[in-house]
Amino acid sequence: MTLQAKATLFKDIKALLHNARTQVVRTVNSAMVNTYFEIGKLIVEHEQKGHDKALYGEETLKELSNQLSVEFGKGFSITNIQQMRSFYLAYGKQQTLSVKSQKGQTQSAKFTLSKSLYLFLMRLDARERNFYEIESTQNHWSLREL
């Protein structure tokens, strides 16, 4: 094998590995964002009976935060749980597509952006949010680019 052929082989393998890593990051990110949405949905539907505001006060969120943090570690502060609830409230009505998983659980339509992008977009009104969500998706914008 010539030196140039070896360099081409290395370059092709390197590109495959970079693409695979990017795909893994996107898949994990999408799964986490969908999970945050589902957590928010459970809080709103089961604990709040569909109301925008918690009827039971912050005590339940504190208990939930403590239990989840003990079981799963970081990422379940009261603020994060409130953001999950807000995420569902902001996007729940427009997520009309749901599918039943093999275990019978409902899974929401796929979210394709990062959690940080959705946290930013949630601050915008619905029309503006929809526009920037489409642009961010099509142009692969980071939070900084948005």
Side-chain angles (χ1 to χ4, degrees):
M1 188 180 286
T2 68
L3 189 58
Q4 185 171 356
K6 288 179 184 179
T8 301
L9 177 63
F10 175 75
K11 179 182 160 194
D12 291 346
I13 292 171
K14 183 176 162 183
L16 281 173
L17 291 170
H18 281 296
N19 288 337
R21 285 182 179 173
T22 300
Q23 187 175 353
V24 166
V25 168
R26 285 186 184 145
T27 300
V28 168
N29 182 63
S30 179
M32 291 307 300
V33 171
N34 277 295
T35 300
Y36 297 149
F37 178 85
E38 291 297 330
I39 290 170
K41 180 179 178 180
L42 286 173
I43 291 169
V44 171
E45 291 181 350
H46 295 287
E47 301 293 335
Q48 296 176 228
K49 307 296 185 236
H51 296 283
D52 287 356
K53 300 249 184 220
L55 300 176
Y56 48 82
E58 294 295 310
E59 198 59 38
T60 300
L61 293 181
K62 285 181 187 177
E63 289 176 27
L64 187 57
S65 172
N66 289 335
Q67 290 173 337
L68 291 171
S69 294
V70 167
E71 181 77 20
F72 296 102
K74 290 183 179 181
F76 296 99
S77 67
I78 294 170
T79 300
N80 282 352
I81 292 173
Q82 288 170 331
Q83 288 174 339
M84 292 173 200
R85 181 176 64 197
S86 296
F87 181 49
Y88 173 74
L89 290 172
Y91 283 91
K93 290 180 175 67
Q94 71 185 60
Q95 293 298 320
T96 56
L97 297 176
S98 292
V99 287
K100 290 278 188 182
S101 70
Q102 291 177 345
K103 296 180 181 179
Q105 297 170 328
T106 301
Q107 296 177 330
S108 304
K110 184 177 181 183
F111 292 101
T112 58
L113 301 174
S114 69
K115 178 184 172 190
S116 57
L117 278 169
Y118 285 113
L119 289 175
F120 176 81
L121 291 170
M122 285 178 1
R123 296 184 229 152
L124 307 175
D125 69 63
R127 287 185 66 207
E128 201 173 18
R129 179 173 57 231
N130 187 46
F131 171 79
Y132 284 111
E133 185 176 359
I134 291 168
E135 289 296 313
S136 297
T137 301
Q138 290 176 347
N139 297 301
H140 306 287
W141 286 350
S142 67
L143 179 59
R144 181 177 219 141
E145 291 168 316
L146 176 61

